[in-house]
Amino acid sequence: MDRIQCIISYDGTNFSGYQIQPNGRTVQAEVEKALTRMHKGLPIRVIASGRTDARVHAVGQVIHFDTSLNIPIQNWRQAFNALLPEDIRVKEVKRASNEFHARYDVVEKEYRYFILNTENEDVFLRNYTYHVRQPLDMKAMSEACDYLEGTHDFTSFCAANTSVKDKTRTLYDVSCFQEDGKVVFVFKGSGFLYNMVRILVGTLIEVGKGKRPPLNMKRVIDLQDRGAAGKTAPPQGLYLWNVNYEKRLEN
Amino acid sequence: MDRIQCIISYDGTNFSGYQIQPNGRTVQAEVEKALTRMHKGLPIRVIASGRTDARVHAVGQVIHFDTSLNIPIQNWRQAFNALLPEDIRVKEVKRASNEFHARYDVVEKEYRYFILNTENEDVFLRNYTYHVRQPLDMKAMSEACDYLEGTHDFTSFCAANTSVKDKTRTLYDVSCFQEDGKVVFVFKGSGFLYNMVRILVGTLIEVGKGKRPPLNMKRVIDLQDRGAAGKTAPPQGLYLWNVNYEKRLEN
């Protein structure tokens, strides 16, 4: 048996999320269906770095699975893509060690969130950005981003119904920049709680609109109360950008 | 009665084309449904600059219609957009003279065609570009574009089953450029035959791949035979970019 590691990209628009479920089209189900076909009906189970919600996109999701097929590694990508729907693409395939685990071995994940910050909506970006008409204050949001970096209990930024007990996570890098009328948020961290990035973005947008001062971010963290943070930003602006399995180099 | 002129944009992905038809979702039907609701059930007929096919997009389609509603012109856009599906957006609304006609008064139309010319597909651009893996020769295609400019009989670049008799059209500007891994074709002309831009692009791609020399374009025009031109490029790369009603300034 060989363990295979893949980087995959998907357009979340027409998926009920990554994880398999009884009803609704999911990324995992489509990926497993394609692999099962490649394996002549033998069911193949796939492990991903983590789930993504309905309408959330992935530029660099990572999965692993085991195979007994004798396909040269350089032919895998094309063979796999040929059986996948066009809203999922395999970008990279490599042999992994038999100990590699796409979820447990994650060292760092990067999410990006795209806001279209223009007067008018753009029909071509409606599924790929969140449209915010009011101009956002980049300086205030950047300052607010700084307060998020480091190791904190992120209870305030976690969907209230989560069962996870330890809500301490480390954010290595939180920043924002402007590009083509868009505001892009970058979040790099050891791990993320359920809805965490979308609640962080919803709160940062309120800072950008002048509804909260940047320093308020510190207080929201300290309160450990979901009610203290802003609204959950909608899913279509969110991208799982990159998953890193290499030991992080300290700056 | 006031005549209203609008610039609209639509994502053609989920439409069976612009023009109303018995089955299938169309842009015209959605636009007329929204206007009919605004007019408390009174059917409103809309005239566009021309049709677009299934999956073809519009950045600047122009329509006109007559209304007896007393809505200040600056409030029209928002009121209209509120009733339209999110894959159609009204960008501009203005009063037109009662003689204005969105189809008959067209002086010039501009279409653009977007090719993603990269080794790998991009899951986010699959509905918005045509993916061509083989690198295209920009210099050869630019030269071929030059031969298309001017007044010609474009029979070779018209779907064979068209009933239009006079196939002479004038192309004012045909060019191509590169942008973010994409090759963009620009076509400005007095008018376009059915499938004309897509057949032109299909033929230009063959020039870009080295399958035809640029000068061959002249010969294809002269032959007045659809069989002499290349394949029809797929619809999702095509955008109705702009419609001009002002008298064209000669350079």
Side-chain angles (χ1 to χ4, degrees):
Chain A
M1 289 294 253
D2 289 337
R3 183 152 292 186
I4 303 280
Q5 174 182 359
C6 303
I7 301 177
I8 66 171
S9 174
Y10 45 84
D11 176 342
T13 308
N14 299 316
F15 288 108
S16 305
Y18 174 80
Q19 195 178 44
I20 224 160
Q21 51 171 260
N23 301 305
R25 185 171 177 260
T26 65
V27 177
Q28 186 186 356
E30 294 292 338
V31 169
E32 293 187 351
K33 194 161 69 180
L35 286 173
T36 298
R37 276 185 66 190
M38 280 178 82
H39 291 76
K40 319 268 180 228
L42 183 77
I44 303 291
R45 177 48 47 114
V46 160
I47 307 288
S49 73
R51 317 170 187 179
T52 52
D53 279 341
R55 301 181 68 81
V56 171
H57 312 291
V59 166
Q61 170 71 287
V62 176
I63 58 169
H64 87 252
F65 55 88
D66 293 325
T67 182
S68 53
L69 290 182
N70 253 327
I71 302 175
I73 197 73
Q74 67 274 17
N75 296 352
W76 254 98
R77 191 172 65 106
Q78 207 185 336
F80 198 173
N81 272 329
L83 295 171
L84 284 168
E86 61 172 10
D87 48 0
I88 306 176
R89 288 294 96 181
V90 176
K91 296 169 83 172
E92 222 181 289
V93 180
K94 62 179 184 185
R95 278 259 3 219
S97 87
N98 286 327
E99 284 73 47
F100 173 77
H101 194 285
R103 180 148 48 107
Y104 300 147
D105 294 353
V106 173
V107 168
E108 180 185 319
K109 270 188 180 177
E110 178 176 347
Y111 282 94
R112 295 196 175 193
Y113 194 98
F114 287 73
I115 293 171
L116 182 66
N117 193 24
T118 53
E119 169 68 20
N120 295 326
E121 291 164 276
D122 182 327
V123 88
F124 302 106
L125 298 177
R126 72 192 189 288
N127 293 323
Y128 306 105
T129 58
Y130 170 39
H131 180 242
V132 174
R133 181 165 286 120
Q134 186 180 330
L136 299 174
D137 180 339
M138 294 301 293
K139 195 164 160 287
M141 293 194 299
S142 282
E143 188 188 332
C145 284
D146 291 344
Y147 296 123
L148 293 167
E149 292 183 357
T151 302
H152 306 286
D153 182 312
F154 283 101
T155 299
S156 296
F157 298 98
C158 178
N161 54 353
T162 311
S163 59
V164 180
K165 286 206 183 75
D166 181 9
K167 290 173 180 161
T168 299
R169 296 290 184 276
T170 301
L171 295 184
Y172 301 114
D173 185 12
V174 183
S175 57
C176 58
F177 62 92
Q178 288 177 297
E179 185 182 74
D180 298 334
K182 299 185 198 92
V183 171
V184 186
F185 286 102
V186 178
F187 300 89
K188 296 184 190 175
S190 61
F192 292 86
L193 300 163
Y194 186 57
N195 272 355
M196 179 168 153
V197 177
R198 289 166 57 190
I199 301 170
L200 286 169
V201 169
T203 313
L204 287 165
I205 288 172
E206 294 181 12
V207 172
K209 287 178 172 176
K211 291 182 184 172
R212 294 171 187 261
L215 191 61
N216 175 257
M217 230 24 141
K218 263 175 120 84
R219 176 143 175 77
V220 174
I221 296 173
D222 289 345
L223 283 171
Q224 300 189 17
D225 170 14
R226 171 68 188 89
K231 279 189 212 151
T232 306
Q236 78 276 6
L238 183 60
Y239 295 72
L240 172 55
W241 200 260
N242 187 44
V243 185
N244 189 2
Y245 295 92
E246 306 293 322
K247 199 159 179 255
R248 197 183 154 80
L249 294 169
E250 294 305 324
N251 299 324
Chain B
M1 289 294 252
D2 289 337
R3 183 150 291 186
I4 302 281
Q5 174 182 358
C6 303
I7 301 177
I8 67 171
S9 175
Y10 45 84
D11 176 342
T13 307
N14 299 317
F15 288 108
S16 306
Y18 174 81
Q19 196 178 44
I20 225 160
Q21 51 172 259
N23 301 306
R25 184 171 178 260
T26 66
V27 178
Q28 186 186 356
E30 294 292 338
V31 169
E32 293 187 350
K33 194 161 68 182
L35 287 172
T36 298
R37 275 185 67 189
M38 280 178 81
H39 291 75
K40 320 266 179 232
L42 182 77
I44 303 291
R45 177 47 48 112
V46 159
I47 307 288
S49 73
R51 317 170 190 178
T52 52
D53 279 342
R55 301 181 67 82
V56 171
H57 312 291
V59 166
Q61 170 70 290
V62 176
I63 59 169
H64 87 254
F65 55 88
D66 293 325
T67 182
S68 53
L69 290 183
N70 254 328
I71 301 176
I73 197 72
Q74 66 275 17
N75 296 352
W76 254 97
R77 193 173 63 106
Q78 204 185 339
F80 198 172
N81 272 329
L83 294 171
L84 284 168
E86 60 172 9
D87 48 359
I88 306 176
R89 289 293 95 179
V90 176
K91 296 168 82 171
E92 220 180 290
V93 181
K94 63 178 184 184
R95 278 264 356 225
S97 87
N98 287 325
E99 284 73 46
F100 172 77
H101 194 284
R103 180 148 49 107
Y104 299 148
D105 293 353
V106 172
V107 169
E108 180 186 319
K109 270 188 182 176
E110 178 177 347
Y111 282 94
R112 295 196 175 193
Y113 194 97
F114 287 74
I115 293 172
L116 181 67
N117 193 24
T118 52
E119 169 69 19
N120 295 327
E121 292 165 277
D122 182 329
V123 87
F124 302 106
L125 297 176
R126 73 193 189 286
N127 293 323
Y128 306 105
T129 58
Y130 171 38
H131 181 241
V132 175
R133 182 165 285 120
Q134 187 180 328
L136 299 173
D137 181 338
M138 294 301 293
K139 192 162 163 288
M141 293 195 298
S142 282
E143 188 187 334
C145 283
D146 291 343
Y147 296 123
L148 293 167
E149 292 183 357
T151 303
H152 307 287
D153 181 311
F154 284 100
T155 299
S156 296
F157 298 98
C158 177
N161 55 353
T162 311
S163 59
V164 180
K165 285 207 184 72
D166 180 7
K167 291 175 180 161
T168 299
R169 298 288 183 277
T170 301
L171 294 184
Y172 302 114
D173 185 11
V174 183
S175 58
C176 57
F177 62 92
Q178 287 177 297
E179 186 182 73
D180 298 332
K182 299 185 198 91
V183 171
V184 186
F185 287 103
V186 178
F187 300 90
K188 296 184 190 178
S190 61
F192 293 85
L193 300 163
Y194 186 57
N195 273 355
M196 180 169 154
V197 177
R198 291 168 54 189
I199 301 169
L200 287 168
V201 170
T203 313
L204 288 165
I205 288 172
E206 294 181 12
V207 172
K209 288 178 172 176
K211 292 183 184 173
R212 295 170 185 262
L215 191 62
N216 174 258
M217 231 22 142
K218 262 174 121 85
R219 176 143 175 77
V220 175
I221 296 172
D222 289 345
L223 283 170
Q224 300 187 19
D225 171 14
R226 171 66 188 91
K231 279 189 212 151
T232 306
Q236 78 276 7
L238 183 59
Y239 294 73
L240 173 53
W241 199 260
N242 186 44
V243 186
N244 189 3
Y245 295 92
E246 306 293 319
K247 199 156 178 266
R248 196 181 154 79
L249 295 168
E250 293 306 325
N251 301 325

